[in-house]
Amino acid sequence: MSDEEIPEPDRIAGAPHPRETQVLFGQDKAQADFLDAFGAGRLHSGWLITGPRGVGKATLAWKIATFLLANPEVGLFGDPTLAVDPDHPDARLIQSGAHPRLSLIRRPWDDKTKKLKTEITVDAVRSLKTFFQMSAADGGRRVVIVDAADELNRNAANAILKELEEPPANCTILLVAHQPSRLLPTIRSRCRELRCARLNAADLQSALAQAGHPSEQSESLATLAGGSAGDAIRLLNHDGLALYAELIKTLERLPRMDRPAALHLADACVGKAGEVRFGMTLDLIDLFLSRTARAGLMGEPSAQGAPGEARLLARLAPDDRAARRWAQLQQDLTDRSRHGRAVNLDPAALILDMIFKIEETAQATALI
């Protein structure tokens, strides 16, 4: 398989790669925090870029990398921004993936399985030794992007930790992390954190338009995506809005469920053609349970992901006791889903089992 054919693990299908994204929406504070440190001459060797998946963390990492490589001196006068002229020589090299002083660490391709590996291996991190030796000849700043640091296996994490403990001269390591709690505490302690927030509705719409995915279903999309442009694109790519509406329609009669509709929902997840729908259905069931539990604590939501959803959530979770039941069910079904996928349980059987557990909880809640 040629390099051009290997899928990029840090690219969302149907969207530009983060290095190609022109404008970063909604992360002004994170950008300002970095620029403040840079302008004051306090550039850390390690930066941990955190926040929910799909809100622009990787885009921020690439913009910082481009800025650093295009600005050789730490500390700037005036009011700097991360913007770099796309015709700048360093920017053009980065866009082409050929910058000699930039290294990207991500999940590698497995020639045996013909798939991307599920984690970043230590060999990928050890390649930094060669990178540092070769790039040292230039005498300029070096940048490493790790995307995502959550995917480092233990040996790889220890190898990155060693680089953070003894950073090479004039080197900045940017770690993108969706769940920083999964990282070694020693890695977190050696990095300065840049926190990326969820996008508001306006920024989400702007980000989607830039990525080539304008949508007129703004309320449902913003509600289900939870401020994540990445999640919004996945929903649009895989008809997730229609699938969530089908899920709500299936459950609208609870505590008695529409059995034929449940069977149809489950059967559509079977086979090769149903693989993507299966994963999306599991994600949307988890989202439904999370929103139900939240409704029990905060009341009927002001925005809904599908017609009739707000009324259904308010009825299923009228108080905090019901909220606790739904939160516990979400945890139980998350574990059940993880186990079912690990042992290749029949998709239809797994979906039906989860929907029946939802029905049982609705019936038990109705008796409180």
Side-chain angles (χ1 to χ4, degrees), residues 217-226 235 241 303-307:
Q217 297 174 286
S218 56
E219 178 182 331
S220 296
L221 195 58
T223 299
L224 296 183
L235 287 166
L241 296 179
Q304 55 184 2

Side-chain angles (χ1 to χ4, degrees), residues 106-306:
R106 55 186 178 182
R107 286 186 290 128
W109 179 257
D110 191 328
D111 285 324
K112 293 182 179 179
T113 64
K114 304 301 179 184
K115 294 180 179 180
L116 289 166
K117 293 186 177 181
T118 59
E119 57 189 13
I120 298 175
T121 60
V122 69
D123 288 340
V125 180
R126 284 174 179 162
S127 67
L128 287 177
K129 296 297 183 185
T130 302
F131 165 70
F132 290 138
Q133 291 171 0
M134 296 182 65
S135 60
D138 288 351
R141 179 180 288 121
R142 282 83 60 78
V143 178
V144 176
I145 296 176
V146 182
D147 189 5
D150 317 61
E151 297 166 345
L152 293 162
N153 66 20
R154 178 164 291 278
N155 289 335
N158 285 326
I160 282 289
L161 175 60
K162 186 173 181 181
E163 300 297 345
L164 289 168
E165 290 175 333
E166 303 173 11
N170 217 11
C171 177
T172 302
I173 301 176
L174 306 170
L175 293 90
V176 176
H178 312 303
Q179 295 179 290
S181 60
R182 296 179 59 183
L183 299 178
L184 295 173
T186 42
I187 288 180
R188 299 199 303 269
S189 68
R190 282 167 172 77
C191 296
R192 176 168 174 179
E193 184 176 8
L194 292 174
R195 176 73 180 175
C196 290
R198 295 184 181 277
L199 304 183
N200 61 36
D203 285 332
L204 178 62
Q205 287 297 102
S206 297
L208 291 176
Q210 176 178 242
H213 293 277
S215 174
E216 297 179 357
Q217 297 174 286
S218 56
E219 178 182 331
S220 296
L221 195 58
T223 299
L224 296 183
S228 166
D231 285 349
I233 291 172
R234 291 186 185 94
L235 287 166
L236 291 171
N237 282 345
H238 304 304
D239 208 17
L241 296 179
L243 180 54
Y244 192 71
E246 182 181 347
L247 177 64
I248 295 301
K249 190 72 173 176
T250 300
L251 302 176
E252 68 179 355
R253 300 180 187 176
L254 288 174
R256 295 297 176 188
M257 188 175 55
D258 184 337
R259 298 300 177 95
L263 289 170
H264 180 271
L265 187 71
D267 288 342
C269 296
V270 174
K272 188 73 174 177
E275 285 183 1
V276 172
R277 184 180 173 95
F278 175 48
M280 179 65 71
T281 302
L282 292 177
D283 290 344
L284 291 177
I285 288 175
D286 182 75
L287 177 61
F288 169 78
L289 294 172
S290 172
R291 287 177 57 74
T292 306
R294 190 179 301 118
L297 296 174
M298 304 180 66
E300 181 175 328
S302 57
Q304 55 184 2

Side-chain angles (χ1 to χ4, degrees), residues 3 5 30 51 73 80 84 99 104 111 180 188 208 226 238 292 304 366-367:
D3 290 343
E5 295 174 316
E73 298 299 327
V84 175
H99 202 295
L104 172 61
D111 285 324
R188 299 199 303 269
L208 291 176
H238 304 304
T292 306
Q304 55 184 2
L367 297 176

